Amino acid sequence: MKFSVDKHEKYVLIKLNESKINSLVTPQLKSELILVNAEGQRNIVLDLSQVKFADSSGLSSLLVGHRLCKNADGSFIMVGLNEAVARLITISQLDSVLTIVQTVDEAIDLIFMEEIEKELKKEAK
């Protein structure tokens, strides 16, 4: 699986450099998501702008990322979805579960807003 990992203080950006998320790629993608989460990263941005096709195993790996981040009180945000992948997510009714934005910058802004909200809630207690 070809991908790049760009770690930041509040989030990690994983850019998938594959045209397909299928059963050949998903074991490695799941492993990378688990590894990043185990290193203490609770906010993951997954850039899928190179991906043209996803199947059910691909959806499964996206749900793994979502669950890991949610359990760590973080965010799993996908960016750059093409029409076919977005349609599959919608048909699977996962568009109400998964967070999807257009650009990496939007995802980063969303993470920082959520982090500020969490800090404010802690201070209010």
Side-chain angles (χ1 to χ4, degrees), residues 105-121:
D105 287 339
E106 283 179 74
I108 293 166
D109 288 347
L110 188 58
I111 286 170
F112 277 93
M113 281 187 350
E114 289 175 353
E115 288 294 315
I116 290 168
E117 285 175 12
K118 287 171 190 163
E119 286 298 316
L120 292 173
K121 286 180 183 174

Side-chain angles (χ1 to χ4, degrees), residues 8 13 26-27 37 41 67 73-75 81 90 100-101:
H8 298 268
L13 171 63
T26 53
N37 185 256
Q41 289 284 359
R67 189 183 71 241
D73 195 27
S75 300
L81 271 66
T90 302
I100 302 166
V101 296

Side-chain angles (χ1 to χ4, degrees), residues 19-70:
S19 62
K20 297 178 180 178
I21 305 180
N22 56 21
S23 58
L24 300 173
V25 174
T26 53
Q28 287 176 285
L29 178 55
K30 287 179 183 178
S31 295
E32 187 60 29
L33 291 169
I34 291 167
L35 180 68
V36 165
N37 185 256
E39 290 173 351
Q41 289 284 359
R42 65 181 190 184
N43 297 311
I44 299 174
V45 177
L46 184 61
D47 184 345
L48 299 174
S49 55
Q50 301 296 312
V51 176
K52 307 291 180 235
F53 170 83
D55 64 10
S56 59
S57 63
L59 288 180
S60 168
S61 64
L62 301 178
L63 288 171
V64 165
H66 171 74
R67 189 183 71 241
L68 289 168
C69 292
K70 186 176 178 184

Side-chain angles (χ1 to χ4, degrees), residues 96-109:
S96 61
V97 175
L98 299 170
T99 304
I100 302 166
V101 296
Q102 295 299 314
T103 66
V104 171
D105 287 339
E106 283 179 74
I108 293 166
D109 288 347

